Amino acid sequence: MATNVDTSLLGRDVSFTVSEPWLAYWLVVMRLAVGWWFLHAGLDKFLAWPFDASWFVGGAAASTTLAPVVTAFSGGAALAFVNVMVPVGQTLIGLGVVVGALTRLASFFGAFLMAFFYFINGETGGWAHGLVTGELLGLLVFAMIATLGAGRVLGIDAILARTALFENHPKLRYVIG
Amino acid sequence: MTEFDTADMVAAYLGGGLVVLGVVGIGLLEIAAGSPHPVSGEGQIVHEALVPLGIRSSLIILGLLVWAAYAMYKVAATTPATGSARPR
């Protein structure tokens, strides 16, 4: 089964056919890959608890473009907040993307976190072989999943979309797939 | 035929353009000019790079911020179209 895409991009007509089952298939594969990436990273930190991000937000980040934002979280209560929120965030984002629950919301925050990893890891050595790294690709996959709303493909968002809460509050549909 | 509205175009072309310029465009320039990679494996900034790393990073960050602003604008100012997917 195929569907015709008929639109315009950069002022030029764009028309092509896409296979519906393969589109659905790749959305799920991307969700599983990038979701498990985050879920694993989050669970890993809980298994090795306590997690200390001071080397990252206070050390590695200090010489990077994001330093003015990130080093504000390098001590005291702000660091304690980061030490909890990074593993909690990664776990929830990963879980949400894998099972397709609140997929857009999870993907937005996945891309948000990934931006910090991309620039700080990149500028401190990760870009030694160029600026396209796994972290940039991860960020872009999160952005793609958020844009396409991939949660209703074999995901819990398909159930959430039919609940009274989401039926009665159309704006909430932005946070699901 | 569905097409981009103004906000879509700003996000897609300005946001995406900045990201692609920072990652791909300047990367092509660096290759053409024979410049080294912007950082060493130890994280030292290589100052011989054609475009200073801070400028290159800032362009990409600006592009990502445009994308993020677009996402927040869509949630705040618009209502999503009802999907036509059939429940199974």
Side-chain angles (χ1 to χ4, degrees):
Chain A
M1 205 154 49
T3 191
N4 289 320
V5 176
D6 186 18
T7 184
S8 70
L9 205 57
L10 290 168
R12 296 179 67 90
D13 287 341
V14 173
S15 181
F16 62 97
T17 303
V18 63
S19 161
E20 289 170 354
W22 280 114
L23 176 63
Y25 170 87
W26 279 110
L27 287 176
V28 173
V29 170
M30 287 290 105
R31 247 181 44 212
L32 290 177
V34 80
W36 173 242
W37 191 14
F38 257 48
L39 181 55
H40 176 266
L43 293 176
D44 221 25
K45 290 176 180 62
F46 281 118
L47 291 173
W49 198 259
F51 173 66
D52 181 10
S54 60
W55 67 273
F56 189 75
V57 293
S63 61
T64 68
T65 311
L66 291 178
V69 177
V70 179
T71 51
F73 292 85
S74 61
L79 177 61
F81 175 76
V82 170
N83 285 342
V84 173
M85 282 315 292
V86 167
V88 168
Q90 284 185 322
T91 303
L92 291 178
I93 289 164
L95 192 62
V97 172
V98 164
V99 302
L102 305 180
T103 308
R104 276 201 173 111
L105 186 70
S107 299
F108 177 86
F109 283 108
F112 175 80
L113 268 185
M114 199 55 91
F116 291 100
F117 302 150
Y118 173 59
F119 288 104
I120 293 169
N121 288 335
E123 290 186 17
T124 54
W127 292 349
H129 299 286
L131 266 70
V132 180
T133 61
E135 284 146 351
L136 177 66
L137 297 179
L139 192 161
L140 295 177
V141 170
F142 274 127
M144 183 190 75
I145 291 171
T147 306
L148 299 179
R152 270 180 281 183
V153 189
L154 302 183
I156 288 173
D157 282 347
I159 300 165
L160 291 178
R162 294 198 295 273
T163 61
L165 178 68
F166 285 86
E167 293 274 359
N168 297 334
H169 299 86
K171 260 188 188 298
L172 280 180
R173 288 203 296 267
Y174 271 133
V175 301
I176 62 175
Chain B
M1 186 160 86
T2 56
E3 295 185 8
F4 284 157
D5 63 21
T6 305
D8 295 330
M9 278 197 278
V10 169
Y13 298 147
L14 179 62
L18 285 166
V19 171
V20 171
L21 172 67
V23 175
V24 184
I26 295 176
L28 273 170
L29 279 178
E30 298 277 0
I31 287 280
S35 302
H37 293 303
V39 295
S40 71
E42 288 74 41
Q44 292 155 331
I45 294 174
V46 179
H47 292 283
E48 292 80 14
L50 192 65
V51 178
L53 188 67
I55 292 178
R56 199 170 173 186
S57 288
S58 299
L59 285 172
I60 303 169
I61 290 169
L62 203 57
L64 297 177
L65 286 175
V66 170
W67 280 350
Y70 165 77
M72 289 185 278
Y73 160 78
K74 288 286 278 189
V75 173
T78 68
T79 302
T82 308
S84 60
R86 298 178 298 274
R88 297 182 187 240

